[in-house]
Amino acid sequence: MEETIFALATARGKAGLAVIRISGPNAVPVLSALGGKVPAPRSSRLCVLRDGTRGVLDHALVLYFAEGASFTDEDVVELHLHGSIAIVQAVIAAILDTGLARMAGPGEFTRRALMNERLDLTQVQGLSDMIDAETEVQRRHALRVFGGEMSEQVAEWRVKLIRAAALLEATIDFAEEDTPEDVEPEVRALLENVIGDLRRASKGFGAARTLRDGFEVALIGAPNAGKSSLLNRLTGSDAAIVSKVAGTTRDIIEVRMNIDGMLILILDTAGLRHTEDEVESIGVTRARARAKDADLRIFLHEEEVPEPPFDLLTEEDLIVRTKVDVRGGSGISNVTGEGIEELVEKIGAVAERRVDAASLFSRERDRASLENAVLSLEETRLMDLPVEVQVASIRNAVMHLADIIGAFDVEFVLDDIFRSFCIGK
């Protein structure tokens, strides 16, 4: 935290603009060493940047954010350069030559924002999800978390629990005196309210994770049922090999697509059949396992009367007849496109119903904290327990909730979060 760090904050490669961000106590001295003059806080200035030999590096727009008013809460200087690969490399080399700053690691700017209490842990997670967002629904969900909605919810629960603990502690402190009222009804109401909220948040964890990671749709069926052709038709690609030879697809092929702002992962799986081919048999086993774990299964068949694998299917899964351009009847045709739009709408409707139940909590560690908090609060329902034990259980629940926002030791989760960050973020 005492060192000054810098990194390219925009994508590498040729572009119209490149931004190098410098953060730390030497941010301004680095700019001075490059021949630039610091602008007024939260304003910009055009500067000619020079290397150690006074050679011109670039004509850059320089922005300055003073300590206490920047993303990291430190002095921050941004160099807005022309987006030439050569210019960026030359400026980076010149900054290193000053000896005043070092290259930042992945997520290190955000780590400093967290350590300097500009963000809490939930906002860091929301920022990570914003960076990874591919669809509109993902963007909106991540923005809610980054905007502090998750933190506010946790804070509301903590206030209620602290109130309940305080009321119980009052009965201990004034055990030998007359208290103005029975605190038990209010304590019970507070605890039941929080327990209900925690359970709903935990129940929506799976949907939230699906929203973040993608809604998986497994295409299953016998060989040559049209799974690979449907994958290619849906995604407008040639991701899967289409052949009349049974057993062509032996491994799972995954293609991403956007349906109504949601990330949908289409899985093409090996044809379900008994086979003596050892490699194909492994593919069939993998196909069944992956299909079972998917969010939705679409069983494709050519026959007029299908024989679905009911051990894999649920009530919400779809059974669809293919090749209706040749065989007639209702269903889909990967050749003419008949029924494809309707099928996409059905997939989108199922995915939308699932993600509508999504909570703000989508990380496994958050789910564990929620469930541990519920377990602690459940102990307070045992009315024969001493009041001191009930208070301790409530305080344990408060600590579990504090873990979500990073109020306690969070070092064990930081590396996992920041691993997905860009170097300059």
Side-chain angles (χ1 to χ4, degrees):
M1 296 290 289
E2 295 178 355
E3 297 178 313
T4 297
I5 58 174
F6 77 96
L8 178 66
T10 48
R12 294 184 180 277
K14 184 178 179 181
L17 180 71
V19 177
I20 291 180
R21 175 182 290 164
I22 309 167
S23 179
N26 288 334
V28 172
V30 167
L31 176 61
S32 299
L34 297 180
K37 294 183 179 180
V38 64
R42 305 181 73 85
S43 64
S44 61
R45 166 177 282 173
L46 186 63
C47 297
V48 177
L49 303 183
R50 301 177 182 274
D51 59 20
T53 64
R54 306 309 295 167
V56 175
L57 295 167
D58 193 18
H59 295 251
L61 187 67
V62 177
L63 279 68
Y64 172 55
F65 302 91
E67 179 181 353
S70 70
F71 175 71
T72 60
D73 204 48
E74 304 172 328
D75 275 349
V76 171
V77 169
E78 289 187 358
L79 309 178
H80 291 229
L81 311 167
H82 292 93
S84 157
I85 296 175
I87 289 174
V88 170
Q89 290 176 339
V91 173
I92 288 176
I95 294 174
L96 288 173
D97 286 345
T98 68
L100 298 172
R102 63 169 175 81
M103 290 287 290
E108 192 168 359
F109 289 90
T110 306
R111 182 189 289 264
R112 293 194 174 198
L114 174 66
M115 294 306 182
N116 290 329
E117 300 183 352
R118 297 291 290 182
L119 301 174
D120 65 28
L121 190 56
T122 67
Q123 291 175 298
V124 171
Q125 292 174 175
L127 181 56
S128 174
D129 290 342
M130 284 176 63
I131 293 171
D132 293 335
E134 299 179 40
T135 69
E136 177 63 14
V137 174
Q138 288 178 322
R139 182 193 68 81
R140 290 201 303 264
H141 187 271
L143 195 59
R144 290 175 62 194
V145 177
F146 179 67
E149 192 172 329
M150 187 171 164
S151 303
E152 291 170 3
Q153 178 65 82
V154 172
E156 181 181 330
W157 293 333
R158 292 179 69 193
V159 167
K160 291 179 179 178
L161 293 180
I162 291 172
R163 166 70 176 170
L167 289 172
L168 289 175
E169 287 178 327
T171 65
I172 300 173
D173 295 337
F174 301 99
E176 298 179 0
E177 302 178 21
D178 292 331
T179 53
E181 59 181 339
D182 182 10
V183 301
E184 183 179 324
E186 182 177 355
V187 170
R188 293 300 111 196
L190 287 168
L191 296 182
E192 291 298 331
N193 180 272
V194 174
I195 289 174
D197 284 351
L198 293 177
R199 283 178 171 165
R200 282 188 289 273
S202 183
K203 186 177 180 181
F205 164 79
R209 187 170 60 179
T210 294
L211 187 153
R212 191 190 75 216
D213 297 338
F215 184 83
E216 289 193 350
V217 178
L219 306 179
I220 61 174
N224 293 327
K227 300 183 296 299
S228 298
S229 297
L230 178 58
L231 175 81
N232 291 342
R233 182 83 191 197
L234 287 173
T235 60
S237 68
D238 294 321
I241 298 174
V242 178
S243 170
K244 293 182 180 180
V245 179
T248 300
T249 301
R250 299 192 174 193
D251 210 345
I252 295 166
I253 298 173
E254 176 180 311
V255 179
R256 307 160 87 86
M257 64 181 298
N258 186 325
I259 297 180
D260 296 332
M262 292 174 288
L263 175 62
I264 309 294
L265 308 179
I266 306 296
L267 311 178
D268 182 21
T269 63
L272 302 180
R273 69 166 181 170
H274 176 72
T275 176
E276 299 299 327
D277 185 302
E278 183 178 356
V279 176
E280 186 184 355
S281 179
I282 294 173
V284 172
T285 300
R286 289 182 177 180
R288 294 182 66 87
R290 186 66 182 275
K292 192 171 184 179
D293 291 337
D295 298 294
L296 177 70
R297 285 146 293 278
I298 301 178
F299 174 69
L300 303 177
H301 66 95
E302 297 182 61
E303 301 81 5
E304 196 167 333
V305 180
E307 297 182 5
F310 289 109
D311 59 317
L312 289 178
L313 300 180
T314 67
E315 292 183 359
E316 209 167 21
D317 293 331
L318 305 177
I319 298 177
V320 179
R321 191 179 187 196
T322 60
K323 305 181 183 180
V324 296
D325 56 308
V326 176
R327 303 183 182 278
S330 61
I332 65 171
S333 168
N334 295 318
V335 176
T336 67
E338 180 181 347
I340 297 297
E341 185 175 343
E342 291 79 1
L343 178 60
V344 170
E345 290 176 356
K346 290 179 181 179
I347 295 172
V350 175
E352 186 175 1
R353 285 197 297 272
R354 299 280 182 86
V355 301
D356 277 348
S359 71
L360 293 171
F361 303 84
S362 62
R363 308 279 175 159
E364 184 62 36
R365 55 183 164 271
D366 296 336
R367 183 194 61 79
S369 294
L370 292 172
E371 293 183 354
N372 287 333
V374 170
L375 291 175
S376 295
L377 294 178
E378 289 284 3
E379 295 177 358
T380 65
R381 289 181 169 180
L382 304 175
M383 300 309 297
D384 56 338
L385 288 176
V387 175
E388 293 86 349
V389 177
Q390 294 183 50
V391 171
S393 296
I394 294 174
R395 291 196 175 278
N396 282 337
V398 172
M399 291 180 67
H400 288 306
L401 295 179
D403 288 339
I404 295 175
I405 61 175
F408 290 95
D409 184 15
V410 298
E411 281 296 327
F412 70 102
V413 303
L414 293 184
D415 288 340
D416 177 56
I417 294 175
F418 292 133
R419 190 176 296 117
S420 64
F421 272 58
C422 307
I423 294 294
K425 193 62 180 175

mmCIF file of all heavy atoms in Angstrom, residues 5 12 41 98 101 108 113 124 133 135 158 232 252 258 319-320 373 419 425:
data_model
loop_
_atom_site.group_PDB
_atom_site.id
_atom_site.type_symbol
_atom_site.label_atom_id
_atom_site.label_comp_id
_atom_site.label_asym_id
_atom_site.label_seq_id
_atom_site.Cartn_x
_atom_site.Cartn_y
_atom_site.Cartn_z
ATOM 1 N N ILE A 5 1.724 2.216 -7.828
ATOM 2 C CA ILE A 5 1.535 1.203 -8.869
ATOM 3 C C ILE A 5 0.991 1.870 -10.134
ATOM 4 O O ILE A 5 0.422 2.959 -10.086
ATOM 5 C CB ILE A 5 0.552 0.107 -8.407
ATOM 6 C CG1 ILE A 5 -0.807 0.716 -8.019
ATOM 7 C CG2 ILE A 5 1.137 -0.684 -7.244
ATOM 8 C CD1 ILE A 5 -1.868 -0.316 -7.685
ATOM 9 N N ARG A 12 -5.208 -4.000 -24.482
ATOM 10 C CA ARG A 12 -3.953 -3.961 -25.222
ATOM 11 C C ARG A 12 -4.218 -4.022 -26.716
ATOM 12 O O ARG A 12 -5.216 -4.562 -27.157
ATOM 13 C CB ARG A 12 -3.056 -5.133 -24.810
ATOM 14 C CG ARG A 12 -2.603 -5.042 -23.364
ATOM 15 C CD ARG A 12 -1.636 -6.153 -23.008
ATOM 16 N NE ARG A 12 -1.207 -6.036 -21.616
ATOM 17 C CZ ARG A 12 -0.233 -5.256 -21.193
ATOM 18 N NH1 ARG A 12 0.446 -4.524 -22.073
ATOM 19 N NH2 ARG A 12 0.090 -5.206 -19.925
ATOM 20 N N PRO A 41 -6.998 19.219 -9.182
ATOM 21 C CA PRO A 41 -7.737 17.981 -8.892
ATOM 22 C C PRO A 41 -9.033 17.891 -9.688
ATOM 23 O O PRO A 41 -9.741 18.894 -9.865
ATOM 24 C CB PRO A 41 -8.006 18.067 -7.387
ATOM 25 C CG PRO A 41 -6.893 18.920 -6.871
ATOM 26 C CD PRO A 41 -6.641 19.935 -7.936
ATOM 27 N N THR A 98 11.847 5.573 -14.055
ATOM 28 C CA THR A 98 11.869 6.570 -12.981
ATOM 29 C C THR A 98 12.168 5.928 -11.629
ATOM 30 O O THR A 98 12.649 6.595 -10.710
ATOM 31 C CB THR A 98 10.524 7.314 -12.881
ATOM 32 O OG1 THR A 98 9.501 6.407 -12.432
ATOM 33 C CG2 THR A 98 10.143 7.938 -14.203
ATOM 34 N N ALA A 101 7.626 3.853 -9.402
ATOM 35 C CA ALA A 101 6.397 3.059 -9.425
ATOM 36 C C ALA A 101 6.695 1.685 -10.017
ATOM 37 O O ALA A 101 7.677 1.504 -10.743
ATOM 38 C CB ALA A 101 5.313 3.761 -10.243
ATOM 39 N N GLU A 108 -5.299 -5.024 -8.506
ATOM 40 C CA GLU A 108 -4.646 -4.347 -7.390
ATOM 41 C C GLU A 108 -5.213 -2.955 -7.125
ATOM 42 O O GLU A 108 -5.253 -2.504 -5.974
ATOM 43 C CB GLU A 108 -3.131 -4.263 -7.624
ATOM 44 C CG GLU A 108 -2.381 -3.845 -6.376
ATOM 45 C CD GLU A 108 -0.877 -4.031 -6.479
ATOM 46 O OE1 GLU A 108 -0.400 -4.520 -7.527
ATOM 47 O OE2 GLU A 108 -0.175 -3.697 -5.497
ATOM 48 N N ALA A 113 -8.827 0.032 -3.271
ATOM 49 C CA ALA A 113 -10.116 0.669 -2.968
ATOM 50 C C ALA A 113 -10.812 -0.042 -1.830
ATOM 51 O O ALA A 113 -11.437 0.590 -0.964
ATOM 52 C CB ALA A 113 -10.998 0.658 -4.220
ATOM 53 N N VAL A 124 -16.926 -5.093 -4.579
ATOM 54 C CA VAL A 124 -15.823 -5.646 -5.365
ATOM 55 C C VAL A 124 -16.330 -6.802 -6.217
ATOM 56 O O VAL A 124 -15.994 -6.922 -7.403
ATOM 57 C CB VAL A 124 -14.681 -6.105 -4.435
ATOM 58 C CG1 VAL A 124 -13.630 -6.882 -5.222
ATOM 59 C CG2 VAL A 124 -14.033 -4.902 -3.758
ATOM 60 N N ALA A 133 -19.684 -9.261 -17.406
ATOM 61 C CA ALA A 133 -21.042 -9.292 -17.939
ATOM 62 C C ALA A 133 -21.045 -9.332 -19.464
ATOM 63 O O ALA A 133 -20.375 -8.542 -20.117
ATOM 64 C CB ALA A 133 -21.835 -8.085 -17.442
ATOM 65 N N THR A 135 -24.311 -9.961 -21.045
ATOM 66 C CA THR A 135 -25.681 -9.685 -21.451
ATOM 67 C C THR A 135 -26.263 -8.552 -20.611
ATOM 68 O O THR A 135 -25.715 -8.185 -19.567
ATOM 69 C CB THR A 135 -26.577 -10.924 -21.289
ATOM 70 O OG1 THR A 135 -26.751 -11.207 -19.891
ATOM 71 C CG2 THR A 135 -25.967 -12.132 -21.980
ATOM 72 N N ARG A 158 -28.271 -6.687 9.897
ATOM 73 C CA ARG A 158 -27.403 -6.501 11.061
ATOM 74 C C ARG A 158 -28.040 -5.554 12.081
ATOM 75 O O ARG A 158 -27.969 -5.796 13.288
ATOM 76 C CB ARG A 158 -26.042 -5.967 10.626
ATOM 77 C CG ARG A 158 -25.215 -6.963 9.822
ATOM 78 C CD ARG A 158 -23.893 -6.363 9.411
ATOM 79 N NE ARG A 158 -23.016 -6.150 10.546
ATOM 80 C CZ ARG A 158 -21.909 -5.423 10.501
ATOM 81 N NH1 ARG A 158 -21.566 -4.811 9.380
ATOM 82 N NH2 ARG A 158 -21.148 -5.296 11.557
ATOM 83 N N ASN A 232 -25.983 -25.525 -34.337
ATOM 84 C CA ASN A 232 -25.480 -24.623 -35.368
ATOM 85 C C ASN A 232 -26.550 -23.630 -35.807
ATOM 86 O O ASN A 232 -26.263 -22.459 -36.069
ATOM 87 C CB ASN A 232 -24.991 -25.425 -36.572
ATOM 88 C CG ASN A 232 -23.726 -26.220 -36.262
ATOM 89 O OD1 ASN A 232 -23.029 -25.940 -35.280
ATOM 90 N ND2 ASN A 232 -23.445 -27.224 -37.079
ATOM 91 N N ILE A 252 -18.644 -32.967 -25.296
ATOM 92 C CA ILE A 252 -19.668 -31.936 -25.172
ATOM 93 C C ILE A 252 -19.168 -30.650 -25.819
ATOM 94 O O ILE A 252 -18.073 -30.179 -25.517
ATOM 95 C CB ILE A 252 -20.010 -31.705 -23.687
ATOM 96 C CG1 ILE A 252 -20.640 -32.968 -23.108
ATOM 97 C CG2 ILE A 252 -20.951 -30.520 -23.522
ATOM 98 C CD1 ILE A 252 -20.714 -32.997 -21.611
ATOM 99 N N ASN A 258 -27.172 -15.207 -26.660
ATOM 100 C CA ASN A 258 -27.936 -14.240 -25.882
ATOM 101 C C ASN A 258 -29.406 -14.351 -26.273
ATOM 102 O O ASN A 258 -29.759 -14.190 -27.438
ATOM 103 C CB ASN A 258 -27.406 -12.824 -26.172
ATOM 104 C CG ASN A 258 -28.044 -11.752 -25.304
ATOM 105 O OD1 ASN A 258 -29.219 -11.830 -24.960
ATOM 106 N ND2 ASN A 258 -27.279 -10.745 -24.967
ATOM 107 N N ILE A 319 -39.665 -31.683 -25.065
ATOM 108 C CA ILE A 319 -39.565 -32.818 -25.983
ATOM 109 C C ILE A 319 -39.960 -32.312 -27.369
ATOM 110 O O ILE A 319 -41.089 -31.852 -27.573
ATOM 111 C CB ILE A 319 -40.473 -33.978 -25.545
ATOM 112 C CG1 ILE A 319 -40.042 -34.482 -24.162
ATOM 113 C CG2 ILE A 319 -40.430 -35.121 -26.566
ATOM 114 C CD1 ILE A 319 -40.925 -35.579 -23.600
ATOM 115 N N VAL A 320 -39.022 -32.339 -28.304
ATOM 116 C CA VAL A 320 -39.210 -31.681 -29.598
ATOM 117 C C VAL A 320 -38.900 -32.646 -30.734
ATOM 118 O O VAL A 320 -37.849 -33.308 -30.732
ATOM 119 C CB VAL A 320 -38.293 -30.439 -29.715
ATOM 120 C CG1 VAL A 320 -38.482 -29.770 -31.071
ATOM 121 C CG2 VAL A 320 -38.576 -29.452 -28.588
ATOM 122 N N ALA A 373 -25.621 -18.146 9.257
ATOM 123 C CA ALA A 373 -26.364 -17.154 10.041
ATOM 124 C C ALA A 373 -27.724 -17.707 10.449
ATOM 125 O O ALA A 373 -28.171 -17.526 11.587
ATOM 126 C CB ALA A 373 -26.527 -15.865 9.246
ATOM 127 N N ARG A 419 -8.448 -12.636 -9.246
ATOM 128 C CA ARG A 419 -7.847 -13.437 -10.308
ATOM 129 C C ARG A 419 -8.506 -13.150 -11.654
ATOM 130 O O ARG A 419 -7.890 -13.268 -12.708
ATOM 131 C CB ARG A 419 -7.961 -14.924 -9.969
ATOM 132 C CG ARG A 419 -7.158 -15.836 -10.902
ATOM 133 C CD ARG A 419 -7.246 -17.290 -10.455
ATOM 134 N NE ARG A 419 -6.638 -17.468 -9.149
ATOM 135 C CZ ARG A 419 -7.315 -17.875 -8.059
ATOM 136 N NH1 ARG A 419 -8.595 -18.125 -8.137
ATOM 137 N NH2 ARG A 419 -6.697 -18.026 -6.921
ATOM 138 N N LYS A 425 -7.264 -2.731 -13.339
ATOM 139 C CA LYS A 425 -8.533 -2.447 -12.651
ATOM 140 C C LYS A 425 -8.334 -2.530 -11.145
ATOM 141 O O LYS A 425 -7.719 -3.422 -10.627
ATOM 142 C CB LYS A 425 -9.633 -3.421 -13.095
ATOM 143 C CG LYS A 425 -11.011 -2.975 -12.660
ATOM 144 C CD LYS A 425 -11.384 -1.643 -13.274
ATOM 145 C CE LYS A 425 -12.764 -1.176 -12.846
ATOM 146 N NZ LYS A 425 -13.089 0.148 -13.330
#
